[in-house]
Amino acid sequence: MKHFISVHDVTDINALAEKALAYKANPLSDRVLGADKKIGLLFLNPSLRTRLSTQVAARNLGMEVIVFNVDKEGWALEFEDGAIMSGTTVEHVKDAAPILGQYFDVLCIRAFPSLKNKEEDYSELVMKSFMQYAGVPIVSLESATLHPLQSLTDIITIKEQMKKAGIAGRKPKVVLTWAPHIKPLPQCVANSFAQWINAWGEADFVITHPEDYELDEQFTKGATIVQDQDEALKDADFVYVKNWSTFTDYGKIYTNDPSWMLTEEKLQLTNNAKVMHCLPVRRNVELSDEVLDSANSLVTTEAGNRVWAAQAVLAEILKSK
Ligand code: CP
């Protein structure tokens, strides 16, 4: 694996997920794989899980980790080619990235979308610039359109639960449902989940959202889209709850309809579904307390699995170097 930006960087999703589960069973089995290697984690946005799980994963592989909160401690970076830098940006990525590539063997970057300019966000300029200029493997810690470490984690968590629940010999029904939120959020997690579940191909995959909340078809193609949430939830084995802002009329909130919040009553429609969310979650806005605090909730297990997903990806990159 050269870079890890999307599902397209993975040749065998099941093999990578099994590798992650093997690390969960034996975290230090490759403790010297990354000896004498340095990994840089660059954050242009906040994080709890991604930052800490990737650090733990890298250390389990023997790597030295340095975290750089670029948004708070670094120079404001410019990404536009040919920009006349007379404004707020101080350093061009063309100048910064090759230097970071000399300091680190692997570079990980979190860079959210602006939600103001769809073409710019969906061009993935930040990730592509680092891939072009750093000269070392780049791992996405969530980009403008995707969150691949989260999605790999989600598949690991589903596979793990399927084994526990004895779901074998049939495809689980997995439902991605939109939920209300007070702020316009990126489409990244939903796009990425759809991309990975479709590529995995081992689930009966349904997406439900209010009118005008369609996601980009390049990620959702292959899923069944159902606008009636109750209908979508029927017989679900897994329900993945996530808010996203509008894609077509980009970055807007069209509705905050509280009836889309996943409650215990709605869960009754499912096949006693396990409930997933990438976190952080707005309690009693996206998901009710009763669901989050119930035995159906997988959110803590899911967040714990972030370590094993990151460890499997970093190990693949280290072995390819
Ligand atoms: N799910 C996730 O990416 O969490 P953080 O934003 O806290 O890293």
Side-chain angles (χ1 to χ4, degrees):
M1 189 186 291
K2 191 160 180 246
H3 302 288
F4 185 72
I5 304 299
S6 80
V7 77
H8 301 304
D9 296 304
V10 178
T11 47
D12 186 336
I13 294 173
N14 277 325
L16 191 60
E18 290 304 329
K19 187 180 179 69
L21 288 170
Y23 280 133
K24 185 170 184 171
N26 194 355
L28 300 180
S29 56
D30 272 332
R31 69 203 302 172
V32 294
L33 182 64
D36 304 324
K37 303 280 187 208
K38 292 184 183 62
I39 183 169
L41 310 187
L42 269 62
F43 285 89
L44 282 80
N45 310 97
S47 168
L48 186 154
R49 280 145 292 271
T50 306
R51 172 181 173 142
L52 297 172
S53 62
T54 310
Q55 283 189 73
V56 173
R59 286 184 185 188
N60 284 347
L61 296 169
M63 301 183 86
E64 187 178 332
V65 189
I66 296 175
V67 177
F68 183 25
N69 296 311
V70 183
D71 56 335
K72 296 183 189 73
E73 298 153 3
W75 300 117
L77 290 175
E78 176 63 58
F79 292 92
E80 189 192 321
D81 207 19
I84 298 168
M85 290 174 55
S86 56
T88 53
T89 54
V90 179
E91 180 160 26
H92 203 284
V93 68
K94 274 185 189 181
D95 302 313
I99 297 164
L100 296 167
Q102 289 184 59
Y103 297 162
F104 298 110
D105 300 284
V106 180
L107 207 47
C108 307
I109 295 143
R110 167 167 280 199
F112 289 171
S114 67
L115 289 182
K116 290 187 173 70
N117 183 327
K118 177 158 68 173
E119 283 66 37
E120 203 172 283
D121 288 345
Y122 273 67
S123 76
E124 289 286 12
L125 179 62
V126 175
M127 286 296 153
K128 284 183 180 162
S129 299
F130 277 104
M131 283 197 282
Q132 184 175 356
Y133 298 119
V136 293
I138 301 297
V139 174
S140 168
L141 300 175
E142 189 169 347
S143 69
T145 67
L146 294 169
H147 196 353
L149 282 175
Q150 180 65 53
S151 309
L152 172 59
T153 302
D154 297 333
I155 288 188
I156 291 164
T157 307
I158 290 171
K159 281 171 70 75
E160 191 179 37
Q161 291 301 317
M162 282 170 64
K163 276 184 206 163
K164 273 191 190 159
I167 302 175
R170 73 169 174 90
K171 286 185 171 185
K173 180 172 176 182
V174 176
V175 178
L176 167 63
T177 180
W178 182 91
H181 201 284
I182 59 157
K183 285 171 64 180
L185 295 190
Q187 297 97 36
C188 312
V189 171
N191 283 344
S192 197
F193 186 73
Q195 185 191 47
W196 280 71
I197 295 289
N198 279 324
W200 185 42
E202 295 187 17
D204 171 13
F205 184 35
V206 174
I207 303 175
T208 184
H209 56 71
E211 200 179 353
D212 297 325
Y213 273 85
E214 289 77 16
L215 293 161
D216 188 339
E217 268 190 18
Q218 68 169 306
F219 306 118
T220 59
K221 204 164 181 213
T224 305
I225 316 288
V226 178
Q227 279 194 355
D228 181 333
Q229 191 193 37
D230 287 356
E231 180 63 31
L233 290 172
K234 267 184 205 154
D235 302 322
D237 297 296
F238 295 90
V239 181
Y240 199 98
V241 182
K242 186 71 186 89
N243 170 269
W244 60 87
S245 58
T246 53
F247 169 70
T248 307
D249 179 20
Y250 192 57
K252 305 279 191 313
I253 295 181
Y254 273 17
T255 178
N256 247 331
D257 182 355
S259 73
W260 277 82
M261 178 172 77
L262 193 75
T263 59
E264 187 61 40
E265 194 184 344
K266 283 182 187 283
L267 210 53
Q268 298 301 322
L269 300 166
T270 70
N271 182 26
N272 194 25
K274 294 293 184 188
V275 178
M276 303 174 71
H277 188 289
C278 62
L279 303 181
V281 64
R282 297 262 180 170
R283 279 178 174 255
N284 303 311
V285 176
E286 295 172 83
L287 265 161
S288 70
D289 274 342
E290 57 185 359
V291 174
L292 273 166
D293 298 333
S294 75
N296 291 70
S297 172
L298 287 182
V299 298
T300 308
T301 304
E302 189 182 353
N305 283 341
R306 290 292 306 271
V307 172
W308 319 118
Q311 195 165 330
V313 166
L314 294 179
E316 285 298 301
I317 287 175
L318 287 169
K319 284 176 183 168
S320 306
K321 268 180 81 73

